[in-house]
Amino acid sequence: MTNKISAEKKILELRNTIEKHNYNYYVLSQPIIGDYDYDILLKELQELEEQNPEFNDPNSPTQRVGDDRNNEFTQVEHSTPMLSLGNTYNIEELSDFDDKTKRFFNDNADFKYSCELKYDGAAISITYINGVLQKAVTRGDGAIGDDVTNNIRTIKSIPLKLSGNYPEELTVRGEVFMNHKTFERLNNERIENEKSPFANPRNAASGTLKIQKSSIVAKRNLDCILYYLISDNLPSDSHNENLTLAKKWGINTPEHSVTASNIDEVYKFIKYWENNRDKLPYDIDGIVIKVDSINLQKRLGQTAKTPRWAISYKFKAERVTTKLLSVDFQVGRTGAITPVANLEAVQLAGTEVKRASLHNADIISELDIRINDTVFLEKGGEIIPKIIAVDKTKRPQNSEILKYITHCPACDTKLIRTEGEANHYCTNSLNCPPQIKGKIEHFCSRNAMNITIGEATIKALYESGLINNAADLFDLTKEQVFSLEGFKEKSSANLIESIEKSKDAEFSKVLFALGIRFVGKTVAKTLAKNLKTIENIKNATIENLAEIDEVGERIAQSVHNYFTDKKSILIIERLQNAGLNFEFIEDTSSKTNILDGKKIVISGKFEKLSRDELKNLIEVNGGINQSSVSKNTDFFLGGDKVGPSKIKKVKELNISIITENEFIKLLNLDL
Ligand code: IVH
């Protein structure tokens, strides 16, 4: 019993300490311990919680990893409607707002404004009761929103518990967003996996909030700033002061907010951020101006949709005009055609822009864009330049509708466009030069075979007839490379060495390098781990493949198609002969003899590991997998939903039952 008491005490202590570190890191941006020490604390807590499941708490900092089960979003009514804001776009409109507010108080109220950044993300309303996060709801239609509590719990800048002198009942509202770095990383990953990238960080944030599995949300690294407090017991009449106090409760409130005594001061704040918003790590689309006194806010009240005490000043999207000179059609490694606009060079948000993607035929016809048109260019998500519209008043006479190409610009094969797909494709995958070069580039890339070779060298090797596919790389000699223009003794030797070294790449990387459509890095890993060898993958049926977690129909079909092509099989054979890895090698570094010949039966559903993983662990740790229980079985490793007859048999034969967590502990696994 004393053990339990001290375990509980230690658990509570660790939770408190970790929450404090989270606060320092995510809210104050001033961590006081390093990542390593933080991880140790978290691991210690995780272990204690596993050993003492009776003290589980959904608000423990260990629970931020999310849940793999599907969330069904329930609809929840907001206790106070989530209003939107009226917009202003210039100083005159803003002054009108100021005049109206003053008139409302017959010009004899002395009030201040609170000025804040207008964060561009997805609005959220979070309720805390007695300092514990209860519910998080999206805006929805303003009256009713989706309960996304499980997803919100994964955002590290949102406290699960408050500290200090917080009101018993508190609703905080704010914006969930994705910073630029995370957005770029996510989109690169999506492009790599042939998923369409998000148009901007706002879409990425709101899309992520609606994901059904919170474990995926947890990996997306969302952030949140909370700018509006609702409670009957707020400590101050000043909204701005309350936000400062709320920071002490652990709430991530706006860092750039000021109070202003008059509209000129407000305007200074606006001008400053209009000029400096590029320096922020996230998107803002304007400034929000609020009457600071809560008492006066109440007196001003609201109209049907917007409060009378607040307004937004929207920045004009940074927009420039330039001229469309020509359109190139690029062929990707999969044969997908991308039209790219060549523009007269122009400065936009600090960078020179000469090209912008036109994406596909639909976008071209929607824009009705023509050569020599004057176009409006904007930054999409502050990063990618995007053609927004055509200034038709400036269109030259006799301009012609831009015709989409019908044949591949590189090999003249007739293009196809499948129902439901946005892109046109060139199907001549084995003889179309940009596709060949693109496939070889992909094969060599860092996440694939990691061969140090540039685009120009691949081009030179291809054009001199030395390589026509990935397998040819392994037949290259130093002399052949040396014969290319610009290659010296040393650089030729380096390339051959890098190719040779790539033969050590593990199976999943080789599989990814093959460039099978929809088989990105992660899918390649999953396939390698589950099916173990290239032979098994080749022989798997579409159904077998689709059954694997995270694979699904579309990928299964694509993998199957790949292996029905004789030419792909031939390349794989040559790569096998060259000595590349086509078999999944278990990480034997963790091999032990802990299970020492013990006969184990697995049954049921498990939470942390798949049955295959468990079976493999039994083997590499010296145990023996048995398919059914008998009197010589040593352990029964039982998960959820084990049939009652099986349990009965296990009990009759007096076999020891172990749980997944006990098993993990037994093997000292680091999960
Ligand atoms: S206050 C009743 N403050 O902009 C007023 N909103 O276009 C509640 N927004 O619905 C909103 N930054 O989603 C407020 N500092 C800020 C904001 C902000 C972004 C969003 C919010 C609002 C929308 C209106």
Side-chain angles (χ1 to χ4, degrees):
M1 202 60 212
T2 42
N3 253 348
K4 281 286 167 201
I5 294 170
S6 66
E8 185 179 18
K9 196 166 155 241
K10 185 77 194 158
I11 286 174
L12 294 177
E13 252 172 45
L14 279 166
R15 282 179 188 158
N16 266 336
T17 314
I18 294 169
E19 284 296 3
K20 269 186 203 137
H21 289 309
N22 279 351
Y23 174 69
N24 289 333
Y25 187 92
Y26 293 105
V27 180
L28 299 182
S29 301
Q30 282 166 350
I32 54 166
I33 59 164
D35 290 355
Y36 179 74
D37 292 330
Y38 176 86
D39 286 345
I40 289 188
L41 289 176
L42 199 64
K43 207 175 256 169
E44 193 183 345
L45 176 59
Q46 251 159 0
E47 275 171 17
L48 275 173
E49 286 179 346
E50 262 168 36
Q51 290 157 11
N52 304 281
E54 63 271 45
F55 304 131
N56 274 356
D57 178 349
N59 288 322
S60 164
T62 55
Q63 301 306 303
R64 297 222 192 232
V65 288
D67 189 327
D68 234 3
R69 284 171 297 197
N70 277 1
N71 295 321
E72 296 269 309
F73 298 131
T74 341
Q75 304 262 294
V76 177
E77 196 173 338
H78 294 294
S79 51
T80 317
M82 280 182 90
L83 303 175
S84 57
L85 293 171
N87 292 325
T88 59
Y89 294 92
N90 51 49
I91 181 81
E92 290 77 28
E93 287 172 4
L94 190 66
S95 294
D96 282 350
F97 166 76
D98 184 43
D99 291 342
K100 254 194 227 155
T101 314
K102 284 182 183 145
R103 263 203 313 273
F104 187 91
F105 298 118
N106 298 324
D107 289 315
N108 58 21
D110 185 19
F111 62 88
K112 282 194 202 144
Y113 288 116
S114 173
C115 310
E116 292 157 25
L117 304 185
K118 185 169 179 334
Y119 304 96
D120 199 7
I124 192 78
S125 180
I126 309 175
T127 312
Y128 290 88
I129 307 282
N130 291 324
V132 179
L133 189 152
Q134 296 291 321
K135 233 179 212 5
V137 184
T138 62
R139 173 213 289 282
D141 64 359
I144 296 171
D146 281 334
D147 180 343
V148 289
T149 314
N150 288 339
N151 288 349
I152 286 297
R153 279 184 200 285
T154 68
I155 303 177
K156 302 217 178 62
S157 46
I158 297 178
L160 301 175
K161 279 185 189 160
L162 303 179
S163 43
N165 218 355
Y166 49 80
E168 260 174 47
E169 281 185 31
L170 174 70
T171 296
V172 282
R173 290 183 176 167
E175 212 78 2
V176 171
F177 61 92
M178 192 177 275
N179 70 32
H180 293 151
K181 258 203 194 129
T182 309
F183 173 69
E184 220 175 316
R185 216 180 307 129
L186 173 67
N187 264 359
N188 286 340
E189 214 177 284
R190 288 177 72 88
I191 291 167
E192 199 174 276
N193 291 329
E194 290 194 44
K195 288 189 183 148
S196 54
F198 286 109
N200 51 48
R202 180 180 4 98
N203 289 3
S206 56
T208 302
L209 266 193
K210 295 289 171 69
I211 289 177
Q212 296 281 326
K213 282 186 181 174
S214 55
S215 58
I216 302 179
V217 180
K219 290 184 191 132
R220 291 270 179 97
N221 204 12
L222 291 172
D223 205 339
C224 180
I225 290 179
L226 296 154
Y227 44 65
Y228 184 37
L229 306 168
I230 306 172
S231 171
D232 289 339
N233 298 304
L234 290 172
S236 163
D237 180 53
S238 154
H239 159 77
N240 209 273
E241 245 175 66
N242 284 331
L243 287 183
T244 310
L245 290 168
K247 213 168 203 124
K248 299 218 171 83
W249 308 334
I251 295 175
N252 197 26
T253 51
E255 48 178 343
H256 305 291
S257 67
V258 299
T259 50
S261 308
N262 55 52
I263 210 68
D264 290 338
E265 280 179 33
V266 171
Y267 206 57
K268 260 191 208 141
F269 184 82
I270 291 175
K271 278 287 140 200
Y272 177 83
W273 283 109
E274 195 155 41
N275 293 327
N276 288 284
R277 65 171 159 144
D278 285 347
K279 299 191 180 96
L280 290 167
Y282 44 75
D283 281 358
I284 58 169
D285 60 342
I287 298 295
V288 179
I289 301 105
K290 303 172 181 171
V291 170
D292 189 53
S293 154
I294 294 171
N295 194 10
L296 297 187
Q297 286 181 4
K298 283 193 184 131
R299 281 172 58 194
L300 280 154
Q302 63 198 52
T303 64
K305 279 226 163 75
T306 57
R308 278 195 208 93
W309 49 267
I311 197 131
S312 80
Y313 182 99
K314 293 268 267 211
F315 293 142
K316 281 177 213 70
E318 272 193 70
R319 182 184 264 212
V320 290
T321 57
T322 187
K323 211 160 122 189
L324 175 71
L325 303 175
S326 61
V327 175
D328 285 342
F329 292 88
Q330 292 181 343
V331 189
R333 72 174 162 93
T334 58
I337 308 289
T338 311
V340 178
N342 291 310
L343 306 162
E344 213 166 72
V346 65
Q347 284 293 121
L348 177 64
T351 44
E352 190 190 58
V353 181
K354 280 193 204 157
R355 288 159 76 75
S357 174
L358 285 163
H359 304 283
N360 55 50
D362 289 344
I363 303 243
I364 291 188
S365 56
E366 262 164 42
L367 286 169
D368 179 23
I369 193 171
R370 303 182 188 187
I371 305 297
N372 286 328
D373 264 346
T374 298
V375 296
F376 296 109
L377 205 59
E378 266 183 20
K379 292 181 301 171
E382 308 286 325
I383 301 161
I384 317 151
K386 192 173 173 190
I387 296 177
I388 295 297
V390 171
D391 184 350
K392 298 213 171 125
T393 62
K394 299 222 172 86
R395 173 167 282 171
Q397 276 183 349
N398 308 325
S399 74
E400 283 175 29
I401 294 177
L402 189 72
K403 284 202 197 82
Y404 208 80
I405 49 169
T406 53
H407 289 73
C408 175
C411 72
D412 211 31
T413 302
K414 194 168 181 344
L415 301 180
I416 57 144
R417 190 183 192 188
T418 320
E419 232 351 81
E421 288 218 28
N423 288 99
H424 284 71
Y425 278 88
C426 165
T427 52
N428 182 21
S429 61
L430 291 162
N431 293 305
C432 176
Q435 290 191 59
I436 297 173
K437 283 182 279 180
K439 283 195 179 77
I440 301 175
E441 272 166 34
H442 170 76
F443 183 85
C444 296
S445 62
R446 205 159 51 89
N447 286 320
M449 302 301 286
N450 195 16
I451 297 174
T452 319
I453 186 170
E455 207 180 308
T457 306
I458 291 176
K459 185 166 179 262
L461 286 167
Y462 169 71
E463 281 172 359
S464 60
L466 287 170
I467 57 170
N468 202 44
N469 56 51
D472 291 341
L473 286 167
F474 297 92
D475 293 337
L476 277 179
T477 64
K478 197 172 90 183
E479 290 68 33
Q480 284 173 328
V481 179
F482 190 54
S483 72
L484 295 178
E485 212 185 293
F487 266 84
K488 305 232 161 59
E489 185 81 31
K490 181 89 178 115
S491 49
S492 315
N494 284 348
L495 177 55
I496 297 296
E497 196 186 312
S498 177
I499 293 173
E500 199 52 35
K501 202 164 148 245
S502 79
K503 291 180 183 172
D504 294 337
E506 60 182 66
F507 178 35
S508 71
K509 298 216 165 183
V510 178
L511 193 57
F512 171 59
L514 293 178
I516 305 170
R517 269 190 93 187
F518 309 129
V519 178
K521 239 174 15 190
T522 329
V523 174
K525 268 193 193 148
T526 310
L527 287 171
K529 221 168 149 187
N530 280 275
L531 294 173
K532 310 283 191 256
T533 66
I534 195 85
E535 286 303 311
N536 291 345
I537 298 178
K538 191 170 97 186
N539 297 331
T541 61
I542 297 182
E543 292 75 37
N544 292 154
L545 290 163
E547 261 171 25
I548 300 171
D549 219 14
E550 286 175 52
V551 174
E553 276 298 316
R554 185 181 75 138
I555 301 174
Q557 184 71 54
S558 166
V559 173
H560 188 76
N561 287 352
Y562 181 86
F563 286 100
T564 47
D565 185 344
K566 287 203 187 72
K567 291 175 192 126
S568 319
I569 304 286
L570 210 68
I571 293 202
I572 291 177
E573 270 171 22
R574 288 181 58 204
L575 293 174
Q576 274 174 317
N577 290 337
L580 271 63
N581 290 319
F582 280 95
E583 202 166 308
F584 180 69
I585 298 168
E586 296 295 346
D587 183 6
T588 46
S589 57
S590 58
K591 210 167 183 166
T592 74
N593 217 11
I594 295 177
L595 299 173
D596 192 26
K598 292 275 183 297
K599 300 186 182 69
I600 302 174
V601 173
I602 299 185
S603 183
K605 277 193 161 237
F606 297 90
E607 247 177 51
K608 296 185 176 145
L609 293 162
S610 71
R611 285 162 66 112
D612 282 344
E613 283 169 324
L614 288 167
K615 280 187 179 166
N616 181 49
L617 280 168
I618 291 175
E619 252 167 51
V620 298
N621 288 289
I624 297 163
N625 282 297
Q626 275 190 323
S627 53
S628 60
V629 204
S630 69
K631 61 176 186 302
N632 64 9
T633 305
D634 293 295
F635 288 120
F636 180 79
L637 177 48
D640 264 359
K641 299 194 179 141
V642 178
S645 60
K646 225 175 233 170
I647 293 274
K648 197 169 155 232
K649 193 161 176 201
V650 169
K651 288 199 171 146
E652 270 168 18
L653 293 170
N654 218 359
I655 297 165
S656 314
I657 302 178
I658 53 171
T659 64
E660 186 184 17
N661 282 339
E662 284 165 343
F663 181 74
I664 290 170
K665 240 179 84 196
L666 187 69
L667 299 184
N668 295 318
L669 296 178
D670 206 8
L671 292 177

